[in-house]
Amino acid sequence: MLLVKADAPLHARFALSEPSLERYARSVRSDNDSDRWWGLYFVDDVEKIPGGARFMVTELTMDRKSYGFACIPDRGPDPEERGCEHFKGPWYIWTDGD
């Protein structure tokens, strides 16, 4: 139970997927490459953003939000951008939805 509360599954899955996700985030162009597996995550939607990329890795959840990652190596997210929370290094977890 303690491991779940500490988000151990999320951290372990991300650690195993990070090299693949980072390569993907650095290579995103405007003509995105979505609907495929990157590491242990199925990437549904991709968006190139200033200084990086963000992509949805899960489908709509019971709380009616979509979750994903944003990789922004040279700066943090725009302060006015809602739904972004620092995860580790250049990575942020973002939510999209009501």
Side-chain angles (χ1 to χ4, degrees), residues 10-69:
L10 170 67
H11 287 273
R13 186 176 180 193
F14 184 84
L16 292 170
S17 302
E18 187 174 10
S20 180
L21 291 171
E22 189 164 338
R23 279 191 307 276
Y24 180 40
R26 292 181 189 280
S27 69
V28 169
R29 299 179 314 269
S30 57
D31 56 335
N32 62 49
D33 188 15
S34 58
D35 293 329
R36 63 179 289 183
W37 287 93
W38 288 93
L40 299 175
Y41 292 99
F42 186 79
V43 176
D44 292 350
D45 189 32
V46 181
E47 180 182 2
K48 184 162 182 63
I49 58 174
R54 68 180 179 183
F55 38 97
M56 184 171 63
V57 296
T58 62
E59 297 187 16
L60 199 63
T61 60
M62 292 191 61
D63 61 359
R64 302 186 53 85
K65 291 186 179 183
S66 300
Y67 294 86
F69 294 105

